[in-house]
Amino acid sequence: MLDRIHLYNFKAARSLDLPLAPLTMLAGLNGSGKSTVLQSLAAIRQSYQVGQGHGMQLGGPLVALGQGMDVLSEGAKDETITVAVLEGDTEYCWVCEALPEANQLKFIESPSPPHGFAVNPHFQYLQADRIVPRTLYPQADQQARQDGLLGSHGEFTADFLASNRDQSVSEKRRCTKECGALDDAMWAKIAPTPQLLDQVAGWLQQISPGARLRAELLKGTDEVILQFQYVGQARGLEPRFYRPTHVGFGLTYSLPILVACLAAPAGSLLLIENPEAHLHPQGQVKMGELLGLCASDGVQILVETHSDHVLNGIRLAVKKGALKADDVRLCYFTRDVSSGDCYVELPSVLPDGQLTNWPDGFFDQWEKSLDALLD
């Protein structure tokens, strides 16, 4: 598990040293450096996935960062880029020269062997622009299917579900009928087993009550069909299945995150952008709780969010005892307009879910707007 990350001259991070935890939440204004942290780790991973570890691969299936001139920090004092991570007392450091027009930056220094996140299959990076409702989704190639990859946009999620629907979900992450506020009869129709497909349906109750889903490989094609149904709405009739284009946008958009959190083995690293997108506040809170349950079960998560509801879901997981307060790291990013430097403040979560302090601008807009309205 990564304990710390240090970035030098990488995009917005001219010099950034950031402590990490099992669940690290990155928050702050747009352009302040949050995505930079996730992209740095994804770029190192991509360098081994595509470039065999010979240099920082700026273009590939995880991130498209352009050329050396695009990733070198503005105002950098030299043309070297460093990404370093610390686990325990061991540091893993990658240093490369940012040649302006190169899309693979040769490593001047790299660890041997590299940290596991760069090479082992237990890794997911889910970007903010994820899959949207459509009729069919692509099947994963053999390597992606073997590694259990969902794709950086979640494009292989339907394929993963079709191939792994019977995978058992860890007990800590399972959704119960109490979470869905459903009676025994309805819960037996929606999520009767601890298997992945049923547990995804269970967590979907926080987004759209009654929803179930199915994913099937279309033989003789390179595509997968994904459909949703609503249990209990048609009396005496078998509920029909609908295309994703005929149900709420948030179901499909959140699906890769639900699957990643429920299916990830202990020891995995998940990088997630904006899990709150297209979700009602109730769904955002429950998404935060699921992230907490997943992190408490041996999976390391770095999540970028603009949602105070996701934050509150994490805090509730701590207050309920499902997640240790020390296993959460809150990082609030700001950027100095005159110098361009990014800075990070680190409020802590207490065991009762409260915070040690609220930096100015850290999810306080509701109070500021209310004060202005009441003035």
Side-chain angles (χ1 to χ4, degrees), residues 38-229:
L38 302 184
Q39 289 173 356
S40 68
L41 294 172
I44 295 298
R45 168 78 182 194
Q46 183 167 269
S47 300
Y48 288 85
Q49 184 175 337
V50 177
Q52 290 75 52
H54 298 305
M56 184 180 289
Q57 192 77 28
L58 300 183
L62 294 178
V63 286
L65 301 177
Q67 300 175 328
M69 67 180 75
D70 299 305
V71 293
L72 183 66
S73 295
E74 187 174 356
K77 296 180 180 179
D78 57 63
E79 295 185 349
T80 59
I81 291 174
T82 299
V83 177
V85 296
L86 191 71
E87 180 170 8
D89 296 327
T90 305
E91 183 181 57
Y92 301 82
C93 185
W94 293 267
V95 182
C96 56
E97 184 179 359
L99 300 177
E101 298 182 357
N103 56 20
Q104 179 174 294
L105 311 180
K106 185 177 180 179
F107 287 135
I108 302 170
E109 177 185 341
S110 61
S112 182
H115 189 278
F117 88 85
V119 292
N120 74 39
H122 306 314
F123 176 94
Q124 304 285 356
Y125 175 38
L126 296 174
Q127 296 185 18
D129 55 331
R130 294 184 288 277
I131 53 171
V132 297
R134 51 186 288 189
T135 304
L136 298 172
Y137 296 90
Q139 292 185 20
D141 59 57
Q142 192 63 36
Q143 189 62 52
R145 187 176 289 177
Q146 180 178 316
D147 291 343
L149 296 178
L150 303 180
S152 61
H153 305 288
E155 64 269 27
F156 301 139
T157 301
D159 181 88
F160 185 92
L161 275 174
S163 303
N164 299 275
R165 57 180 296 149
D166 296 332
Q167 175 181 327
S168 181
V169 173
S170 173
E171 186 173 0
K172 271 193 173 184
R173 302 178 225 173
R174 295 175 195 168
C175 192
T176 65
K177 65 184 180 183
E178 288 75 21
C179 296
L182 299 174
D183 60 31
D184 290 344
M186 186 62 70
W187 192 251
K189 295 179 180 179
I190 290 174
T193 76
Q195 295 174 344
L196 179 61
L197 196 68
D198 285 340
Q199 288 302 306
V200 170
W203 282 99
L204 280 177
Q205 303 316 296
Q206 313 303 327
I207 300 168
S208 189
R212 272 189 59 83
L213 74 165
R214 71 178 177 187
E216 296 180 358
L217 302 173
L218 296 179
K219 293 183 178 180
T221 75
D222 297 323
E223 296 176 306
V224 186
I225 187 170
L226 177 69
Q227 295 178 316
F228 295 89
Q229 69 176 175

